[in-house]
Amino acid sequence: MSLRPHCPAPTIPAQTEIVARAAFPHGNPYLLLRDRLGPLFDDAIFGDLYPALGQPAYAPWRLALVTLMQFREGLSDRQAADAVRARIDWKYLLALDLADPGFDHSVLCEFRARLLDHEAGERLLACVLDVAREAGFLKARGRQRTDSTHVLAAIRDLNRIELLAETLRAALNALAAIAPDWLRQVAEPDWHKRYDHRVEEGRLPPSGLRRDAYVAQVGTDGFRLLDAVAAPDAPAEAAALPAVALLRRVWNRHFDRTDDDPGSGAPLKVRLRAVQGRGHGDRIESPYDAEARFRAKSGTKWTGYMVHLTETCDASAPHLVLHADTTPANVHEAMRTEPIHAALAAKGLAPAEHLVDAAYVSAEHLVTAHERHGIDLIGPPRPVQNWQTQEKGAFLVTDFTVDWDRHCARCPEGRESRGWREYRDRTTGRPFIRASFSPTDCQPCLARARCTRSRSRRLALHPRDRHEAIATTRARLSTEAGQRLYAQRQGVEGTISQAVRAFGLRRARYRGLAKTGLQSLATAAAINLDRLAAWLADRPLAPTRTSRFAALATSP
């Protein structure tokens, strides 16, 4: 396929415009977007995705628009292609003749593949934001907010035994596709009985010796297949298969083999390793989506991904989604604060104020956001987990006065620390300061029960800039003005609800981190289309619903 760019973008055919105006006398979101904002995309944006020679491709600017409308309305590829042929409002936005036959639905899949191959999925969102910026709806250095939600991977949940058997079955299917004759010689007759069908289509042996024997047999079969792939007479492309590499990775995690020399002819002995929690380490959950991860958070358990949405929240402009950051589920929110800031700065959309919840805030984040990007990160720092924070009247770290010039801390009873040592945490490598008080001061102190249960109190302090940043943030959020400001963060919950309920963000359409990330970007751009259309039509935000019973309390 080659690209023949349209320059300028084609105008709307006269007959299409006449019919569209007659069909929608009171307006339509797609007609309004085209009239006020233009075509949104042009072919030059996607020029590097296509070769210079070959059969002319379908206009990519139209495919980009169809992709956004598809995600806005929750359509499949086939339904979206049918809408291009059948719907007048779509033809108006795409500047198509009424008799235009459209395209085969597989073209949408090919277009997404080009975006993924060139890592160009961000362009779907960037183009919409550029149009909004040119129209005056988007300005940098405003106020933004971020929150995350979980995305379910497009796979089945497997227990540990199902994971092992299904991983081996996936490797056998992949090898059968590229080296059927070789695999026919390697495979044992019993393998067809165990691995011809999906694991859930059969019934696993009951717990006990029979199940243990089944697991040992699966482990033995897997090691025999890996040994055969590593043999000199194996096809060269077999070892390079992702399914085989995944099988090796899963077996190394879940099994131990006791034979040191696979070629010695000694019986293969396999032992299943001790059970580890699903959230422990970087465990693969399915052979069909090796990047999906398990996580449990706030009572919710899922296998898949996390999506972090950042939107504007200025009062005088539509609230537009600026960034969609997709990660495996086991990546904590705190790991994404700096990447999100860097991405916003690269787009020229870094905020002046960024409202987030406690999961995104740390002393390091507060300082780094201000120094690198000039961002005022606003959110409650995570509390220190010790008994003093749980017991009423106990002395907290904030009750101590720190004299940074003299390298000492003063307790609420007026005694000063005797030790001051800088160190780094062994796990994270982050710098801390330990201020130690003398036992001769602490043991006779009348307030000792409120301060420490050891011989003396020891304070773990952040470096000065981080310590003061946390103190300033806590003081700010304790004021009425700070609470009103931070209350605006809650609005992003509505955006997440809209993305999940109206745009299908909860479930991944595709498998793999890259494809799920593209879905998140297309969904964010589709949300922006919907919000721009609402803003142009002067459609106000819907108020919070009040149940009829709740209304009785306020009615006369």
Side-chain angles (χ1 to χ4, degrees):
M1 291 290 182
S2 62
L3 185 60
R4 302 290 189 269
H6 297 279
C7 188
T11 59
I12 302 171
Q15 190 65 25
T16 301
E17 183 172 5
I18 294 173
V19 174
R21 300 293 182 196
F24 303 102
H26 302 294
N28 174 277
Y30 295 141
L31 272 64
L32 185 60
L33 287 171
R34 176 70 192 216
D35 293 341
R36 298 286 295 276
L37 301 180
L40 298 178
F41 298 95
D42 63 69
D43 285 345
I45 298 172
F46 308 100
D48 59 325
L49 276 58
Y50 295 82
L53 301 176
Q55 182 180 355
Y58 195 84
W61 74 269
R62 287 195 172 107
L63 294 178
L65 268 177
V66 171
T67 299
L68 299 195
M69 294 188 290
Q70 170 189 9
F71 278 87
R72 180 179 182 268
E73 302 186 18
L75 305 179
S76 66
D77 288 352
R78 191 181 298 274
Q79 291 171 329
D82 289 342
V84 172
R85 285 185 286 269
R87 287 181 51 177
I88 297 172
D89 53 344
W90 282 45
K91 288 182 179 293
Y92 188 93
L93 182 59
L94 298 172
L96 292 175
D97 188 80
L98 293 178
D100 190 282
F103 52 84
D104 187 79
H105 69 276
S106 61
V107 174
L108 287 172
C109 182
E110 296 173 359
F111 178 67
R112 291 194 302 270
R114 292 182 186 276
L115 293 176
L116 291 171
D117 291 343
H118 293 79
E119 299 181 354
E122 182 70 35
R123 300 181 195 180
L124 297 177
L125 179 59
C127 291
V128 176
L129 295 178
D130 288 342
V131 171
R133 184 156 34 191
E134 293 174 2
F137 298 140
L138 179 61
K139 297 180 181 179
R141 311 306 298 176
R143 184 177 296 159
Q144 300 173 15
R145 53 197 178 195
T146 296
D147 205 355
S148 62
T149 190
H150 62 282
V151 177
L152 305 178
I155 54 176
R156 294 174 287 112
D157 284 335
L158 303 174
N159 61 35
R160 193 183 188 192
I161 298 177
E162 291 172 336
L163 169 65
L164 297 173
E166 198 65 25
T167 301
L168 178 53
R169 194 179 79 88
L172 290 171
N173 284 331
L175 288 168
I178 66 164
D181 295 335
W182 173 83
L183 184 59
R184 190 177 291 110
Q185 298 175 358
V186 170
E188 299 182 6
D190 289 344
W191 287 12
H192 291 283
K193 180 180 178 181
R194 286 192 287 272
Y195 311 116
D196 275 358
H197 305 285
R198 291 181 176 179
V199 177
E200 76 271 14
E201 293 180 2
R203 180 170 296 180
L204 293 174
S207 59
L209 295 178
R210 291 180 61 187
R211 176 164 291 195
D212 294 342
Y214 175 80
V215 173
Q217 185 62 63
V218 171
T220 300
D221 294 342
F223 279 121
R224 286 175 177 167
L225 180 62
L226 291 173
D227 292 341
V229 169
D233 59 341
E237 61 272 18
L241 281 176
V244 173
L246 189 65
L247 175 67
R248 184 177 296 107
R249 182 175 171 184
V250 171
W251 254 237
N252 288 340
R253 180 182 178 89
H254 292 274
F255 287 108
D256 285 319
R257 63 185 298 175
T258 58
D259 59 322
D260 297 330
D261 185 8
S264 63
L268 181 60
K269 296 181 180 180
V270 174
R271 180 173 60 87
L272 188 66
R273 291 183 177 177
V275 176
Q276 296 175 325
R278 293 186 67 182
H280 179 80
D282 197 33
R283 168 179 158 167
I284 292 172
E285 298 295 331
S286 171
Y288 305 110
D289 191 344
E291 295 171 300
R293 292 294 179 267
F294 174 82
R295 184 173 179 182
K297 176 187 176 185
S298 302
T300 301
K301 299 179 180 180
W302 78 97
T303 299
Y305 302 92
M306 289 278 289
V307 175
H308 307 260
L309 298 180
T310 301
E311 69 169 359
T312 60
C313 55
D314 296 311
S316 58
H319 297 167
L320 302 178
V321 180
L322 304 181
H323 187 60
D325 181 54
T326 307
T327 68
N330 61 344
V331 177
H332 193 272
E333 290 88 333
M335 303 296 294
R336 305 310 302 168
T337 305
E338 168 56 24
I340 290 173
H341 286 168
L344 292 172
K347 297 177 182 180
L349 294 173
E353 296 176 331
H354 191 191
L355 307 175
V356 295
D357 63 22
Y360 295 91
V361 179
S362 70
E364 182 180 2
H365 292 145
L366 292 170
V367 174
T368 303
H370 179 72
E371 292 181 348
R372 292 186 182 177
H373 309 292
I375 297 175
D376 185 8
L377 185 63
I378 303 173
R382 282 166 284 179
V384 178
Q385 299 298 326
N386 54 31
W387 70 267
Q388 287 93 343
T389 60
Q390 306 297 325
E391 187 168 320
K392 185 177 181 180
F395 292 152
L396 306 178
V397 174
T398 54
D399 295 324
F400 290 73
T401 303
V402 181
D403 190 332
W404 298 98
D405 296 329
R406 296 178 55 226
H407 288 185
C408 70
R410 185 178 297 106
C411 75
E413 295 297 315
R415 295 175 178 83
E416 293 186 347
S417 61
R418 302 294 180 89
W420 184 277
R421 183 175 68 87
E422 298 179 0
Y423 69 99
R424 288 187 175 273
D425 184 85
R426 294 181 179 180
T427 303
T428 63
R430 295 173 179 170
F432 287 92
I433 297 170
R434 176 169 293 164
S436 304
F437 289 81
S438 173
T440 59
D441 292 333
C442 293
Q443 289 186 0
C445 180
L446 298 178
R448 182 184 172 209
R450 300 170 57 193
C451 185
T452 182
R453 294 173 180 172
S454 304
R455 296 179 65 242
S456 62
R457 182 70 181 264
R458 293 183 178 182
L459 298 180
L461 305 173
H462 291 283
R464 183 173 184 174
D465 56 347
R466 300 180 183 182
H467 180 88
E468 293 177 345
I470 287 183
T472 301
T473 298
R474 287 191 173 124
R476 180 184 193 177
L477 294 179
S478 65
T479 64
E480 184 177 351
Q483 292 174 5
R484 286 199 304 268
L485 172 63
Y486 185 66
Q488 297 182 40
R489 189 211 67 83
Q490 300 175 9
V492 74
E493 304 285 354
T495 296
I496 289 178
S497 178
Q498 181 186 22
V500 169
R501 298 175 185 272
F503 291 82
L505 187 64
R506 175 70 73 230
R507 295 185 177 275
R509 289 183 170 216
Y510 321 108
R511 293 174 180 172
L513 178 60
K515 292 182 179 180
T516 305
L518 178 60
Q519 174 183 341
S520 302
L521 289 167
T523 300
I527 291 174
N528 288 343
L529 282 189
D530 189 76
R531 293 186 171 184
L532 286 171
W535 185 269
L536 293 171
D538 294 325
R539 189 175 75 220
L541 294 176
T544 302
R545 294 182 179 89
T546 302
S547 67
R548 295 183 178 181
F549 179 72
L552 294 178
T554 58
S555 61

